[in-house]
Amino acid sequence: MPGSRTGGPPAQRAVRRPVAAGPPGDNAVRRFYTRANRAWDRPLTAYYLILGGSLLITVLGLVMVYSASQITALQMSLGGSYFFRKQLLAAVIGAGLLFAASRMPVKLHRALAYPILAGAVFLMALVQVPGIGVAVNGNQNWIALGGSFQIQPSEFGKLALVLWGADLIARKQDKRLLSQWKHMLVPLVPVAFMLLGLIMLGGDMGTAIILSAILFGLLWLAGAPTRLFVGVLSVAGAIGVLLIQSSENRMARLQCLGATDPGPGDSCWQAVHGIYALASGGIFGSGLGASVEKWGQLPEAHTDFIFAVTGEELGLAGTLSVLALFAALGYAGIRVAGRTEDPFVRYAAGGVTTWITAQAVVNIGAVLGLLPIAGVPLPLFSYGGSALLPTMFAIGLLIAFARDEPAARAALSMRQPRFGRKRAGGSGSGREPRRWNTMRRRASAARSSGER
């Protein structure tokens, strides 16, 4: 029996034991599950999900705004692309805000908290001044800027509460004051109630619900005791019940839950026709631009009920795609909030995630007939520049926080520009592949300065 090259006895090969055969697709499913877990655990997963998901929602929203608003614009003797052009302008400005917020350091975000809060309170109070505030659909929450442009300050109040509340709680956590219930509630809850009062002076119950959700999200992230959390929730719930009972319009909206008939006086007209639009869409929809309900049957087709038009034209596939994008955005926000060591980043990321997901749930739940119609737009999707601008700035916050994670910073710093840098090893056939350059740079960085 021949020996080995080293002169020793030949190496004995291990006898392979037969592997127990599993189900036919077991290995494929296991490999897919392993690869998916590795993809989710990558440092830049949250960064790509936030950036890609928000851009896809915004672009799809522009397409649906153009489709859903054409008939409304023509009925108002305007051009068919009137609302689309305004939304596109707001999206371009919002993209600039998103880019600026994504490049700002965390210290600058914290420094902007108080100016944004002061500006939002001033504008929300200015709405109630006669001659300045403008009423739309019975709610006086708008300020005319000239021409056809208006601004809704209460939308900026959401961003103000997130930034200011996160900075306040982070500073109190640094001083170890959150264990006392007084410091947990004051001045966060009084300031939030002040914002809610200014909003309710104009009659906007939907925005007040979202602002309350942000407040509860911040308290939950701060570790509020259960009895304290339940106490604040009970007070807010009691105030909400009183506000609903004091308005016939709100009571009528509550009675339209699950309605399948417009009812006497067509009080549930909008809710029922939203269901009709979703039901007529089928699996793949009637086609982009082919909605029937937007021809005057469905009120607010391009704003609050744009999800219903999406279901009619793009079908179940389109609505599930929108839901998946919002779910990915919410997951990425939770991941950013859960992996950071900076208290401000954790509270701000959690507040933004609560804001966007709660507003999406309230809007989609109303379209599906599961929740009362609150009159809130679908974030990044519905028509409305006042809602789009602060939301895109908030998305920029999440992107900045995702980039600021230590692992994400390391991954971004290891990237090599595609163009403009010469590679070692000359040119032509002797050029080394980029992967080898990256590995060599990592190895040289790992060695000490005196090692050869």
Side-chain angles (χ1 to χ4, degrees):
M1 190 172 184
S4 65
R5 293 183 180 180
T6 57
Q12 298 292 332
R13 294 183 178 180
V15 180
R16 295 184 179 180
R17 298 180 179 178
V19 181
D26 184 50
N27 292 334
V29 172
R30 184 173 299 177
R31 285 196 301 268
F32 175 78
Y33 180 76
T34 303
R35 291 177 181 177
N37 276 342
R38 290 177 181 175
W40 286 118
D41 289 336
R42 288 177 181 174
L44 295 177
T45 296
Y47 170 75
Y48 287 129
L49 283 179
I50 296 170
L51 180 61
S54 60
L55 290 181
L56 286 175
I57 294 173
T58 304
V59 172
L60 183 57
L62 286 172
V63 174
M64 294 310 304
V65 164
Y66 180 66
S67 176
S69 65
Q70 286 181 336
I71 306 304
T72 303
L74 293 175
Q75 289 174 345
M76 298 172 63
S77 300
L78 300 171
S81 61
Y82 173 77
F83 292 105
F84 169 74
R85 286 186 277 110
K86 291 184 65 176
Q87 186 74 355
L88 180 61
L89 176 61
V92 171
I93 299 174
L97 292 176
L98 185 150
F99 179 79
S102 65
R103 295 294 177 174
M104 288 182 185
V106 175
K107 291 183 179 180
L108 184 55
H109 288 147
R110 300 188 70 167
L112 290 175
Y114 282 86
I116 292 178
L117 177 64
V121 171
F122 174 74
L123 292 177
M124 291 167 67
L126 203 62
V127 168
Q128 307 305 323
V129 177
I132 298 179
V134 178
V136 177
N137 295 330
N139 295 336
Q140 186 166 344
N141 283 300
W142 300 80
I143 295 177
L145 299 180
S148 60
F149 291 95
Q150 297 176 342
I151 187 174
Q152 188 177 5
S154 57
E155 293 291 340
F156 294 89
K158 303 172 187 176
L159 177 63
L161 181 60
V162 168
L163 285 177
W164 176 80
D167 177 69
L168 175 70
I169 298 175
R171 286 189 289 107
K172 290 196 173 187
Q173 179 175 333
D174 292 338
K175 297 179 181 179
R176 299 182 180 180
L177 297 176
L178 292 181
S179 58
Q180 306 176 28
W181 68 269
K182 295 184 298 182
H183 290 284
M184 177 74 71
L185 298 180
V186 180
L188 177 63
V189 174
V191 171
F193 278 14
M194 178 187 66
L195 294 175
L196 290 171
L198 291 173
I199 291 174
M200 289 308 302
L201 283 176
D204 191 356
M205 186 73 180
T207 305
I209 292 174
I210 306 304
L211 207 69
S212 300
I214 296 174
L215 172 62
F216 294 137
L218 290 174
L219 288 176
W220 183 78
L221 289 170
T226 303
R227 61 180 181 277
L228 188 63
F229 193 84
V230 172
V232 176
L233 184 61
S234 301
V235 172
I239 295 175
V241 170
L242 292 176
L243 292 174
I244 291 175
Q245 291 180 347
S246 62
S247 173
E248 296 182 0
N249 184 29
R250 296 177 190 135
M251 286 297 298
R253 292 184 178 185
L254 191 64
Q255 293 172 358
C256 292
L257 285 176
T260 57
D261 185 83
D266 293 335
S267 58
C268 299
W269 179 274
Q270 186 178 23
V272 170
H273 278 272
I275 297 297
Y276 289 169
L278 291 171
S280 61
I283 301 297
F284 298 105
S286 57
L288 192 62
S291 170
V292 176
E293 290 293 333
K294 69 183 180 183
W295 286 77
Q297 300 296 323
L298 180 63
E300 307 296 337
H302 60 299
T303 54
D304 300 344
F305 271 68
I306 194 172
F307 188 77
V309 179
T310 304
E312 185 178 5
E313 295 187 351
L314 302 183
L316 181 64
T319 55
L320 290 181
S321 299
V322 175
L323 291 176
L325 289 174
F326 276 108
L329 196 59
Y331 165 81
I334 294 174
R335 171 170 169 159
V336 171
R339 293 197 173 192
T340 183
E341 298 294 335
D342 189 335
F344 171 78
V345 173
R346 178 166 60 253
Y347 298 135
V352 171
T353 305
T354 303
W355 163 13
I356 294 176
T357 54
Q359 188 164 325
V361 168
V362 170
N363 178 276
I364 296 174
V367 174
L368 296 176
L370 303 176
L371 295 174
I373 299 175
V376 296
L378 189 58
L380 301 172
F381 201 84
S382 297
Y383 170 78
S386 295
L388 184 62
L389 295 181
T391 306
M392 294 193 76
F393 186 89
I395 293 295
L397 287 177
L398 289 180
I399 293 175
F401 298 156
R403 289 169 55 94
D404 198 52
E405 290 183 8
R409 284 202 308 266
L412 290 172
S413 65
M414 293 302 299
R415 285 183 172 182
Q416 183 177 359
R418 293 180 180 270
F419 305 103
R421 178 179 295 181
K422 295 181 179 180
R423 300 177 186 173
S427 59
S429 59
R431 181 179 297 176
E432 297 176 349
R434 179 175 301 171
R435 184 176 179 182
W436 169 248
N437 286 339
T438 304
M439 294 175 62
R440 183 177 58 187
R441 188 167 61 253
R442 291 181 180 177
S444 61
R447 291 197 298 260
S448 62
S449 58
E451 186 177 353
R452 296 296 180 183

